[in-house]
Amino acid sequence: MTNQKVRVRFAPSPTGPLHIGGVRTALYNYLFAKQHGGDFILRIEDTDSQRFVPGAEEYIIESFRWLGLSFDEGPHVGGNSGPYRQSERKITYRQYVNQLLEKRLAYIAFDTPEELEAKRVETSNFQYDASTRLSMRNSLSLSSRETQDLIDAGVQYVVRIKIEPEETVTVNDLIRGEVTVNSSILDDKVLYKSADELPTYHLANVVDDRLMKITHVIRGEEWLPSAPLHVILYKYLGWEDGIPEFAHLPLLLKPEGNGKLSKRDGDRLGFPVFPLQWHDPASGNISQGYRETGYFPDALLNFLALLGWNPGGDREVFSLNELIDLFSLDKCSKSGAKFAYKKGEWFNHRYIQLKSNAEIAELFLPVLKNHGVDAPVEKIIKVVGLTKERVNFVEELWEQTNFFFATTTVYDEKSVKKRWKADSAERMQELIDILQPVDDFSSTHTESIVMNYIESKEYHAGNIMNAFRVALVGEARGPHLFDIVEIIGKEEVLQRLRKAIIELK
Ligand code: GLU
């Protein structure tokens, strides 16, 4: 498939919210497409009407909008290879089903679910294949007359692929190399169901990848076992010259590394496994999302990019454009990637540091508003600058900064007990007296005044500073004390000192 424009697809089934593993699959597709100047296509694989969940497609589209990964084609943006919802492509699939039946590469089967179940009970490891198909009820074991009569009588049927046994099937995988299987391990998979006039995943996937001119199929490892069947289907449909390149991405594993990451791991350890909050329409349950938890989309993408791929070296923070430049499938690992969710928090922390104080202040504004604070933007920007290195999420800034905005100070008992000494009230009165005439309340100026004073009196600096901090902050924490002094300003500093003297007897 050389010399062709790169075209990749992300092909979710709308059976619920998008899992974080799906986001990573989509991201790798996106990076690969953009690096090659190719197209990134969204295809909704909604052929399983039993598992269809209303709202799931909208959720998927909204997730990518938030993440900033835009599709070149898809149900929401259109394109020349549509429709992009498989349920709207019934007629197309039926043509290929007919073609396979005519060429006797597929056959019609009438076995009911009960009959199939009975077979499974009777024969352990029962597989519908060359060794068993003639003992089943299908167009190979029945006469063409009987077959036609059943169809005419309206009996529902499925169409199964006819796999020839003992043949070597090779899948070329860009991550795993050549994967070879013996066709005898494959069963005669169902390709089509008359009941809903829809194909199953396998047929729809192959037909659409072909008709949409997909050049690279980049998807999760869980689809690797289906790839040999897909290769056979390409051949049966006469498309062996156009089989796309495959790349099966490593699994995302539990943070502990034992087994596949699941929603339960997120619930157990307190991290989201979905990009956005999800309201389950059936159960009414609400699941947390990365967006609502306070993650930046670029931090989340950076975190996900490195789960299963690494450009080499120690660097970890990359912009989306840098990821596009650096990404390569041959640097993807074959083995699963532990979902180290704490690393995700670390990335969000890094991104807070990388963003300007003004940008973070803007995001902090609504949080302040919720706490009834209405402060000048300039002040908020300064406060953010002093405290952002202490948080992973913007929301956490409130806890780190409330004393900058609160008019009444609440004193933490423990801090008072430890830091407010018998002579503290007296010392704080002296601070009031020396600061009263000062006009320049900049951090460095007030610091030199207070420090000179302490030195001249030969006071214990720690004791004074501790008491001063309790008076201003209410407890033993916060950034550099004189930075706080500068930001809250003279009037407020003096007032808090007076209040502490009265209240902390
Ligand atoms: N519909 C499949 C899914 O939900 C697509 C798998 C593939 O990419 O072939 O993941």
Side-chain angles (χ1 to χ4, degrees):
M1 299 214 99
T2 42
N3 300 330
Q4 250 181 304
K5 185 178 194 191
V6 165
R7 285 171 61 81
V8 299
R9 83 303 192 272
F10 179 60
S13 301
T15 54
L18 185 60
H19 191 273
I20 201 68
V23 176
R24 188 204 50 176
T25 298
L27 172 63
Y28 285 16
N29 273 282
Y30 175 87
L31 297 176
F32 185 80
K34 296 300 125 185
Q35 181 176 78
H36 292 92
D39 295 326
F40 176 51
I41 297 156
L42 178 64
R43 184 171 74 221
I44 300 295
E45 300 208 324
D46 56 350
T47 56
D48 189 346
S49 46
Q50 304 284 310
R51 296 180 60 217
F52 180 82
V53 172
E57 179 183 323
E58 292 75 6
Y59 175 97
I60 290 165
I61 290 169
E62 172 66 12
S63 297
F64 288 107
R65 197 168 287 142
W66 175 65
L67 288 161
L69 301 182
S70 49
F71 290 96
D72 300 296
E73 297 169 30
H76 57 314
V77 287
N80 293 328
S81 303
Y84 295 91
R85 259 179 226 108
Q86 289 187 327
S87 59
E88 294 167 15
R89 301 170 65 82
K90 283 185 178 178
I91 299 165
T92 305
Y93 304 126
R94 184 68 227 200
Q95 285 168 12
Y96 292 102
V97 169
N98 291 344
Q99 188 182 313
L100 291 171
L101 287 170
E102 275 158 29
K103 290 190 181 161
R104 306 198 171 281
L105 297 169
Y107 58 92
I108 287 172
F110 298 101
D111 318 272
T112 61
E114 295 73 28
E115 286 165 346
L116 288 169
E117 188 48 37
K119 272 283 172 196
R120 281 190 207 106
V121 171
E122 179 191 307
T123 322
S124 64
N125 298 325
F126 171 76
Q127 178 167 287
Y128 208 122
D129 63 15
S131 69
T132 59
R133 60 171 81 107
L134 288 179
S135 66
M136 307 300 289
R137 281 206 312 138
N138 55 48
S139 59
L140 301 174
S141 62
L142 303 171
S143 70
S144 46
R145 189 59 217 241
E146 288 168 314
T147 302
Q148 197 53 50
D149 284 350
L150 285 170
I151 295 172
D152 292 345
V155 173
Q156 298 296 358
Y157 61 88
V158 299
V159 174
R160 288 181 180 271
I161 188 169
K162 191 170 166 224
I163 300 278
E164 293 306 328
E166 299 300 344
E167 282 180 6
T168 300
V169 191
T170 303
V171 177
N172 284 310
D173 189 288
L174 294 171
I175 297 173
R176 285 148 214 282
E178 253 187 26
V179 179
T180 301
V181 302
N182 184 310
S183 63
S184 299
I185 65 159
L186 305 174
D187 61 337
D188 290 354
K189 277 263 176 324
V190 172
L191 301 178
Y192 181 86
K193 295 178 183 171
S194 68
D196 48 14
E197 300 181 302
L198 276 170
T200 59
Y201 158 70
H202 303 290
L203 183 76
N205 196 264
V206 165
V207 166
D208 286 349
D209 283 347
R210 171 70 183 199
L211 298 184
M212 295 180 181
K213 299 193 171 67
I214 299 302
T215 57
H216 297 77
V217 168
I218 304 169
R219 62 185 170 192
E221 184 180 329
E222 63 272 32
W223 302 102
L224 183 60
S226 305
L229 171 64
H230 297 174
V231 168
I232 293 173
L233 265 173
Y234 270 95
K235 293 189 177 152
Y236 279 13
L237 289 163
W239 295 332
E240 58 260 77
D241 60 332
I243 300 177
E245 302 275 5
F246 290 99
H248 290 93
L249 305 174
L251 276 182
L252 290 187
L253 304 176
K254 294 178 188 301
E256 300 89 346
N258 54 337
K260 202 176 146 190
L261 175 72
S262 73
K263 173 161 164 10
R264 229 172 290 143
D265 299 312
D267 295 341
R268 176 169 62 88
L269 298 164
F271 63 85
V273 295
F274 303 132
L276 314 180
Q277 196 176 73
W278 168 254
H279 295 240
D280 190 275
S283 67
N285 286 347
I286 295 180
S287 304
Q288 263 322 297
Y290 276 85
R291 179 176 66 183
E292 292 73 18
T293 308
Y295 280 84
F296 297 117
D298 44 3
L300 177 59
L301 291 177
N302 194 159
F303 166 54
L304 292 177
L306 294 173
L307 289 176
W309 167 79
N310 200 298
D314 295 334
R315 198 175 147 197
E316 292 182 292
V317 175
F318 301 98
S319 70
L320 194 57
N321 281 330
E322 289 171 326
L323 290 173
I324 290 171
D325 283 346
L326 291 167
F327 185 74
S328 71
L329 286 170
D330 51 66
K331 290 220 165 79
C332 287
S333 67
K334 292 191 195 62
S335 49
K338 278 187 213 169
F339 195 78
Y341 67 102
K342 287 277 176 201
K343 191 75 192 189
E345 294 173 4
W346 179 87
F347 270 105
N348 213 60
H349 173 84
R350 289 301 316 146
Y351 274 75
I352 288 189
Q353 313 316 310
L354 289 172
K355 289 177 198 292
S356 73
N357 296 342
E359 201 176 329
I360 301 298
E362 176 100 6
L363 298 168
F364 188 32
L365 226 73
V367 180
L368 287 171
K369 213 170 228 156
N370 278 343
H371 285 97
V373 171
D374 183 19
V377 174
E378 282 313 305
K379 175 174 175 178
I380 300 171
I381 293 175
K382 277 193 199 162
V383 167
V384 163
L386 287 181
T387 52
K388 69 176 185 178
E389 66 176 19
R390 295 158 185 260
V391 301
N392 295 333
F393 300 99
V394 169
E395 190 99 19
E396 294 171 356
L397 279 170
W398 172 248
E399 217 202 299
Q400 296 295 332
T401 62
N402 49 24
F403 56 86
F404 282 104
F405 306 105
T407 47
T408 52
T409 312
V410 200
Y411 304 102
D412 168 61
E413 227 175 284
K414 260 198 206 146
S415 306
V416 172
K417 222 174 183 176
K418 221 171 139 197
R419 322 255 166 179
W420 193 264
K421 309 278 178 205
D423 63 352
S424 291
E426 208 177 308
R427 297 289 97 85
M428 293 306 109
Q429 185 55 53
E430 290 168 35
L431 280 191
I432 293 173
D433 296 339
I434 60 156
L435 288 172
Q436 188 84 67
V438 176
D439 284 327
D440 175 4
F441 246 61
S442 66
S443 173
T444 46
H445 192 238
T446 49
E447 179 164 12
S448 71
I449 288 177
V450 171
M451 286 313 182
N452 286 340
Y453 177 73
I454 290 173
E455 232 167 84
S456 70
K457 291 279 189 181
E458 293 184 1
Y459 287 149
H460 184 277
N463 283 350
I464 303 233
M465 296 305 290
N466 284 340
F468 195 10
R469 184 175 288 278
V470 168
L472 295 189
V473 177
E475 57 182 303
R477 66 180 180 111
H480 184 56
L481 193 58
F482 293 99
D483 288 340
I484 301 174
V485 166
E486 172 175 324
I487 290 175
I488 67 179
K490 179 170 171 179
E491 216 176 298
E492 183 71 19
V493 168
L494 298 180
Q495 197 199 304
R496 289 192 196 184
L497 282 169
R498 283 188 212 106
K499 181 172 178 252
I501 292 169
I502 296 168
E503 294 200 12
L504 302 178
K505 296 249 171 63

